[in-house]
Structures are given as C-alpha cells and as structure tokens.
Amino acid sequence: TEEELALFQIVGHSYDLDTENMWDKIENLFKEISSQDEIIPMTTMEIIDYLKAMEKAKITDSYIKNHSKQPLWFSVNGTVCKINPEIKFALAE
C-alpha cells in the first residue's frame, strides 16, 4: 500500500486450474507479478521463514538490528529500506 508494506498471498489448488482451463491465465499473472521490482515472490514456506526472521529483529527508537540470516524490509520515514543479515540500521532522528 502507499502507507505500509503489505503481504498478498495467492492460494489455490492446481486441479481447479485444470477443470477451469486457467493455466495460461495464472502463468501470465505470475509473470506480471514477478516482473515488478517492488514485489518479492515467495512460497508459503518462505513467507513463514520471513515472518520468523521478522520476529528476531530488534527495533528500538534509534535503530533496527536484523538478527536473521536473510534480508528484511522496513518502511522507515516513508522509505522502504532493505536491512541485510546481522546489520544494525540507524534510524534518523
């Protein structure tokens, strides 16, 4: 969204794509989504791992420390910031 980082998950069953003959539509949707730089495609397990990594982050009034082994994204003063593993990101006063 304009105001916060968001998660959008698409779930379903492949047999529905067969019965409705929708494989081309879903493949085109995924190609369009994955071509956007602002979007990070993930499997359900990757989402779970990401949420667990977010729980490990230490957030204070002066910094964010990423204690996980993967990059994390935060919205800081309206700017999306990627914080790499084991990095302490100072917040501007």
Side-chain angles (χ1 to χ4, degrees):
T1 67
E2 297 274 331
E3 298 179 17
E4 63 185 349
L5 302 179
L7 171 70
F8 177 75
Q9 185 177 19
I10 299 172
V11 295
H13 299 282
S14 59
Y15 63 81
D16 290 329
L17 297 172
D18 284 335
T19 59
E20 299 296 323
N21 196 23
M22 295 183 64
W23 280 105
D24 289 340
K25 288 182 183 179
I26 198 76
E27 286 178 9
N28 288 336
L29 173 66
F30 289 152
K31 284 178 187 174
E32 178 65 29
I33 290 171
S34 64
S35 71
Q36 306 297 315
D37 290 337
E38 305 86 21
I39 296 174
I40 303 165
M42 295 180 174
T43 65
T44 300
M45 194 65 223
E46 288 170 329
I47 293 169
I48 291 167
D49 290 342
Y50 185 84
L51 293 173
K52 287 179 181 178
M54 287 292 278
E55 289 176 351
K56 293 180 183 178
K58 180 167 182 163
I59 303 169
T60 71
D61 290 338
S62 57
Y63 68 87
I64 299 171
K65 173 77 189 234
N66 178 359
H67 290 286
S68 75
K69 296 183 187 289
Q70 68 183 69
L72 298 174
W73 284 263
F74 292 88
S75 180
V76 178
N77 299 323
T79 302
V80 175
C81 299
K82 177 183 177 183
I83 303 177
N84 286 316
E86 300 303 326
I87 295 294
K88 186 176 181 179
F89 181 85
L91 301 173
E93 296 287 324

